[in-house]
Amino acid sequence: MMLSRTANNLFWLARYMERAEATARLIEMGQRMALLPGPKESNEWRSVMMAAGAVDAVDGDKTVSEARVVKTLLLSADNPTSVRYCLERARANARAVRTSLTQQQWETLNDGWRRFEKMTTSEARKNLGDHLDWVKTRAATFRGATEGFMLRNDRYDFLHLGAYIERANMTLRLLDVKYYVLLPETEVVGGGRDHYQWRSILLALSGHRAYHHNYDGDYSPWKITDFLVLSSRFPRSLKFCYGGIRLHLDRLAEHYGESHQCSETANAMLEKLSTKDLGEIFQSGLHEFIMGAIGTTYRLSDEISDAYHF
Amino acid sequence: MGDPAGPRRPYRNVARWIEKTGIDLLNMRREEAEAIFRRIGITFAVYGEGGDPERLIPFDMIPRIFSAAEWRRVSAGVKQRARALNAFLYDIYHRGEIMRAGIIPEHLVYRNEAFLPEMIGVEPPGRVYSHIVGVDIVRTDAEDFLVLEDNCRTPSGVSYMLENREIMMRMFPDLFSRAKVEPVDTYPDELKKSLAEVAPPACKGDPCIALLTPGPFNSAYYEHSYLADLMGIELVEPGDLFVDEGKVWMRTTRGPQQVDVIYRRIDDDYIDPLAFRPDSMLGVQGLFNAYRAGNVTLCSAPGAGIADDKAIYIFVPDMVRFYLGEEPILKNVQTWRCALQDDCAHVLDNLKDLVVKEVHGSGGYGMLVGPKATKEERKAYAERIKADPDNFIAQPTLNLSTSPTMGDEGLSGRHVDFRPYCLVGAETRLVPGGLTRVALKKGSLVVNSSQGGGVKDTWVLSE
């Protein structure tokens, strides 16, 4: 048992940390893709912005510059997906529940949280790689401090629920932005452009090497979709995230002696992911499937808040 | 110190150690200590000055030391004072004997802004109003300890007592093996015990205790979360609590849970918008009614603040005699009340030698330190006194004792004061230690952290 506010803070703390890392990886992907000899008009930066939900910032513009992306997704103080915003929110949530965190978790969140506060876009771009690495290291250290030292009580569960919901959300958003490259029809187009496009999706989720381990080399939209949606091994796949959500909801249900609507929602989704194969998903429309899953994930987040009074 | 013969006896061990360690190493260690403070987040907020919103209080590594004999005296004096102040609070909210006896003028109590008529006739468990009494003490000579002021509401700073010791032990373990220093880390347990003892009589079994904080933006938030953590109790914000059927509940992941004792770090004005300030965003609606119904204990009790009012301060030695039938062990600093004509004339004539304070002020704001002020400042202040004499008291500038303190150029004496934290439940408890504040500017008498003061570890040597 704990304060509902504490559960809320832990849930969001984890979501913001996860999001900060996801945004950093997205920017990294954009940077890599911009360096590749693909056709310029593909404009990876634009899809980076869209995947990060900064749709307003790119509305109407055909091309988006790196400077623009750095400003919006790394340094912005009020864009809720910017790295700076996420780190500040994560720390604010942590500060409100310091007593629920281990010393090391807190120190990870407290160290350098003001790093981007006074940084200009040009300063940030000069060492963009270093800054993004730093963010990823923060996230990894926090995760390590959580796994290594945190008591496995309900606090641990709320932290993980937040992380998995956010992660599922990010994978889905990326699929949404890129779904047109994953449509089977485009396979006939072939050629370099699609190759780069497919690669970019894996890069954004750092699933590049894992993919090769699983599928022996060649890129194909089918396999990539299978990997990101149905794989039970890849930790950023939809199925893996929902597996994590179910695990922690089950633990809470056992701990508190009652289960809620959110468990049913999570189970239904997992059931779907376990029984459907890729053919069925494409048949009834990948886009429709993604939109449905995004809706379910939002609803699930609300149901968790309701169930635990936050 | 200040004794031409060298450091006082309790300091000798430390003096030898400093000599052996060397100033350079000590300075290095000071930076280390600050880095630790910053990393674990022991900061306090200063309002409205811009700059870093979360600051560190400068930490001085040379401990302030009490011998066992000195401590016995301070400890007995502080406990005595805490008991008298609580007896006074019970009295003024009930029969008012001390005013009937003509010892304290009625208007100073009943027309005091800190007096809460809503509290008349309320019976707090154990008759305790102020559960944590912080007594600010200075020393002017080898014999006497003087009380500058009492803090009966929610005195802060105890986290520094605990953290300063923690840091000292981490950085200088060998120092502790030479001197036998009484531990202070029992404070959270003692506090929890005291709070549990004042649970409402209706509460059966282990009481549910919570610490009520205004939230992360409060300057003492770090302390709130630190204490809650060490006591293993919930740190609640007003939004976490609600009142239903005259009982107080907190919102938890398993639904509402009843709260029996609230250690509140929120001022009276803000605890309940229904009872006090309707514009308060902070409070819990109906909390005061739940308190009056005896369903929850508030620590400190609403209205306890009148006991640390500067107009009441003057009478604390009389309270000790009146309620306890004892002679006060700790003396007051001589104080002139500008409300009295003769006193006021004396104050205006001697401004350059006096420290003048607002009766209801706190934290070193709005005071005049006569000897340090310019002629113009004194003149302007005199006008303020004349305009509203009731609002001011004056005290002599004291020949405060100094304590050896690290400066960039080595050790030198700086003025210090000292705040022990006396706990009042069924018993009166005092952990051997407290917060020593030090004026880091040479010659300065102001030790408030908001005005450039620092802190030191405080040692009580065992017999």
Side-chain angles (χ1 to χ4, degrees):
Chain A
M1 192 271 301
M2 67 174 128
L3 287 179
S4 298
R5 179 174 48 83
T6 306
N8 184 52
N9 286 132
L10 289 168
F11 182 81
W12 280 98
L13 152 61
R15 285 195 70 159
Y16 281 119
M17 273 315 270
E18 193 70 29
R19 193 181 292 174
E21 183 186 17
T23 304
R25 288 185 194 280
L26 265 181
I27 301 174
E28 206 172 45
M29 177 271 274
Q31 205 185 16
R32 284 278 278 286
M33 293 309 290
L35 292 177
L36 289 174
K40 291 292 172 224
E41 71 271 18
S42 70
N43 201 349
E44 277 308 319
W45 287 124
R46 190 183 167 82
S47 62
V48 164
M49 291 284 247
M50 289 181 60
V55 184
D56 294 350
V58 292
D59 227 15
D61 286 352
K62 223 174 150 199
T63 54
V64 177
S65 67
E66 180 189 289
R68 181 86 167 278
V69 171
V70 167
K71 198 174 163 194
T72 314
L73 296 189
L74 185 68
L75 302 177
S76 165
D78 43 39
N79 164 29
T81 51
S82 95
V83 170
R84 172 184 168 184
Y85 181 93
C86 292
L87 291 180
E88 285 177 1
R89 295 305 304 153
R91 186 207 178 246
N93 276 288
R95 191 164 186 248
V97 292
R98 275 203 48 178
T99 52
S100 301
L101 299 174
T102 66
Q103 188 65 26
Q104 214 185 348
Q105 283 175 311
W106 164 250
E107 286 176 13
T108 307
L109 297 164
N110 195 39
D111 256 3
W113 64 285
R114 303 176 78 189
R115 180 185 178 107
F116 298 114
E117 197 173 272
K118 294 207 173 84
M119 200 177 281
T120 64
T121 307
S122 59
E123 280 166 359
R125 288 182 64 196
K126 229 175 276 166
N127 296 308
L128 188 55
D130 289 349
H131 295 310
L132 298 175
D133 278 347
W134 179 81
V135 177
K136 289 189 299 179
T137 308
R138 290 288 87 186
T141 312
F142 179 73
R143 204 172 286 130
T146 304
E147 293 311 314
F149 302 99
M150 196 179 186
L151 202 62
R152 265 34 174 189
N153 56 11
D154 43 357
R155 287 163 163 74
Y156 181 80
D157 295 317
F158 283 109
L159 212 49
H160 277 77
L161 284 173
Y164 280 124
I165 294 255
E166 183 66 31
R167 198 187 284 180
N169 202 17
M170 186 45 121
T171 300
L172 286 166
R173 276 211 311 243
L174 193 71
L175 281 167
D176 183 36
V177 171
K178 296 282 190 177
Y179 87 93
Y180 64 92
V181 258
L182 294 168
L183 290 179
E185 296 88 76
T186 62
E187 214 171 355
V188 296
V189 177
R193 167 174 174 173
D194 295 309
H195 184 82
Y196 290 128
Q197 289 282 355
W198 298 332
R199 243 174 80 106
S200 75
I201 300 175
L202 293 172
L203 274 177
L205 296 172
S206 300
H208 191 231
R209 290 208 181 151
Y211 177 83
H212 286 299
H213 280 292
N214 240 18
Y215 297 91
D216 295 331
D218 68 333
Y219 298 109
S220 88
W222 283 81
K223 289 178 184 170
I224 291 175
T225 312
D226 184 61
F227 188 52
L228 299 188
V229 177
L230 298 180
S231 166
S232 10
R233 298 186 197 166
F234 180 50
R236 317 200 86 79
S237 83
L238 189 62
K239 189 171 173 188
F240 189 96
C241 293
Y242 265 81
I245 292 167
R246 178 165 71 182
L247 172 75
H248 289 285
L249 285 177
D250 283 352
R251 281 171 44 100
L252 283 176
E254 195 191 358
H255 186 86
Y256 291 157
E258 56 180 334
S259 95
H260 302 274
Q261 177 60 41
C262 46
S263 290
E264 283 170 41
T265 304
N267 286 337
M269 177 58 114
L270 265 177
E271 176 75 17
K272 206 186 236 172
L273 295 172
S274 306
T275 53
K276 277 200 175 186
D277 70 20
L278 211 53
E280 288 173 82
I281 290 178
F282 275 114
Q283 204 133 47
S284 50
L286 179 58
H287 183 64
E288 285 68 21
F289 172 79
I290 295 168
M291 293 320 277
I294 288 178
T296 304
T297 308
Y298 273 111
R299 197 173 78 230
L300 180 59
S301 178
D302 287 347
E303 285 171 359
I304 292 172
S305 310
D306 284 350
Y308 299 103
H309 312 277
F310 64 83
Chain B
M1 315 232 297
D3 179 349
R8 289 192 304 108
R9 181 184 291 278
Y11 280 94
R12 278 180 202 156
N13 224 332
V14 172
R16 272 200 299 277
W17 169 78
I18 290 167
E19 210 169 291
K20 227 181 92 194
T21 310
I23 294 297
D24 290 344
L25 186 60
L26 283 177
N27 269 325
M28 220 169 76
R29 285 300 174 90
R30 179 170 58 178
E31 281 163 26
E32 242 172 72
E34 293 201 347
I36 295 176
F37 277 124
R38 176 76 68 184
R39 208 175 71 227
I40 58 187
I42 311 174
T43 57
F44 72 103
V46 177
Y47 297 112
E49 289 181 30
D52 189 347
E54 289 172 24
R55 274 186 217 182
L56 287 180
I57 291 190
F59 174 58
D60 182 76
M61 287 177 305
I62 314 300
R64 194 261 174 92
I65 305 176
F66 286 98
S67 70
E70 286 168 337
W71 181 254
R72 266 198 304 276
R73 199 172 142 75
V74 170
S75 169
V78 166
K79 287 181 180 171
Q80 181 189 54
R81 212 162 159 107
R83 282 187 292 133
L85 288 164
N86 273 298
F88 166 75
L89 285 163
Y90 185 81
D91 185 25
I92 60 166
Y93 289 119
H94 292 86
R95 291 175 51 82
E97 310 268 11
I98 199 162
M99 290 166 287
R100 294 179 194 210
I103 295 171
I104 300 181
E106 276 189 9
H107 74 273
L108 281 186
V109 173
Y110 296 136
R111 278 198 245 135
N112 195 310
E113 276 177 35
F115 180 81
L116 273 192
E118 294 89 339
M119 281 296 292
I120 293 171
V122 175
E123 287 287 332
R127 296 192 174 179
V128 184
Y129 289 76
S130 177
H131 305 78
I132 299 114
V133 184
V135 181
D136 290 349
I137 295 174
V138 293
R139 188 157 199 191
T140 49
D141 56 48
E143 297 305 310
D144 274 330
F145 293 95
L146 299 180
V147 175
L148 278 185
E149 63 179 44
D150 307 287
N151 297 273
C152 297
R153 301 162 210 224
T154 53
S156 63
V158 77
S159 55
Y160 290 102
M161 169 180 87
L162 300 170
E163 289 286 5
N164 291 347
R165 176 64 53 84
E166 225 21 71
I167 293 268
M168 288 296 285
M169 290 180 74
R170 209 192 288 191
M171 296 206 312
F172 308 115
D174 54 325
L175 191 48
F176 285 87
S177 60
R178 293 158 181 242
K180 293 274 170 272
V181 182
E182 296 278 359
V184 292
D185 58 5
T186 53
Y187 181 84
D189 297 336
E190 302 278 309
L191 174 57
K192 192 174 180 184
K193 233 185 277 171
S194 302
L195 294 171
E197 283 169 0
V198 295
C203 164
K204 303 285 175 249
D206 277 345
C208 171
I209 308 172
L211 195 158
L212 178 60
T213 173
F217 297 104
N218 185 268
S219 60
Y221 182 71
Y222 170 74
E223 175 161 304
H224 304 164
S225 78
Y226 182 73
L227 285 176
D229 189 23
L230 290 178
M231 287 191 281
I233 64 174
E234 288 293 350
L235 177 67
V236 298
E237 292 176 23
D240 297 322
L241 299 179
F242 65 96
V243 176
D244 188 36
E245 297 189 347
K247 292 175 183 153
V248 182
W249 309 82
M250 59 184 180
R251 293 174 228 275
T252 79
T253 48
R254 305 189 73 174
Q257 145 116 29
Q258 195 182 343
V259 181
D260 303 302
V261 180
I262 299 176
Y263 173 28
R264 49 98 175 208
R265 298 288 297 255
I266 294 184
D267 288 347
D268 283 357
D269 276 357
Y270 300 101
I271 55 171
D272 181 354
L274 288 183
F276 304 109
R277 281 179 61 153
D279 59 328
S280 167
M281 302 283 290
L282 285 180
V284 181
Q285 291 206 1
L287 180 57
F288 188 64
N289 268 340
Y291 173 70
R292 286 224 301 206
N295 290 330
V296 69
T297 305
L298 294 173
C299 304
S300 57
I306 187 170
D308 64 27
D309 191 88
K310 291 191 181 70
I312 297 297
Y313 159 83
I314 303 155
F315 302 101
V316 179
D318 297 319
M319 292 177 199
V320 172
R321 294 184 196 99
F322 184 77
Y323 297 115
L324 310 179
E326 300 170 7
E327 264 312 298
I329 299 167
L330 301 176
K331 292 184 186 162
N332 266 13
V333 177
Q334 184 183 16
T335 305
W336 291 276
R337 293 159 54 200
C338 298
L340 303 177
Q341 237 173 15
D342 290 353
D343 281 22
C344 192
H346 175 84
V347 170
L348 290 172
D349 287 345
N350 296 281
L351 265 189
K352 66 178 190 327
D353 301 319
L354 298 174
V355 176
V356 192
K357 300 176 186 172
E358 289 179 65
V359 174
H360 306 297
S362 75
Y365 289 106
M367 63 189 261
L368 175 88
V369 180
K372 305 266 168 219
T374 62
K375 217 169 172 185
E376 287 71 35
E377 284 168 337
R378 284 201 295 267
K379 210 168 147 197
Y381 209 91
E383 292 308 315
R384 289 182 57 198
I385 298 175
K386 282 182 214 159
D388 184 12
D390 287 7
N391 193 32
F392 294 90
I393 57 160
Q395 293 171 339
T397 50
L398 300 171
N399 180 21
L400 286 191
S401 71
T402 62
S403 175
T405 297
M406 287 279 297
D408 293 330
E409 71 290 352
L411 289 184
S412 54
R414 291 288 185 273
H415 294 298
V416 289
D417 79 355
F418 174 62
R419 175 184 290 180
Y421 298 85
C422 187
L423 299 169
V424 190
E427 285 173 43
T428 308
R429 303 178 167 92
L430 186 60
V431 167
L435 176 65
T436 294
R437 299 186 298 178
V438 52
L440 292 174
K441 275 184 248 158
K442 197 177 168 81
S444 170
L445 292 169
V446 184
V447 295
N448 299 85
S449 54
S450 50
Q451 316 242 326
V455 294
K456 280 169 171 292
D457 190 13
T458 310
W459 289 8
V460 174
L461 300 181
S462 57
E463 304 279 350

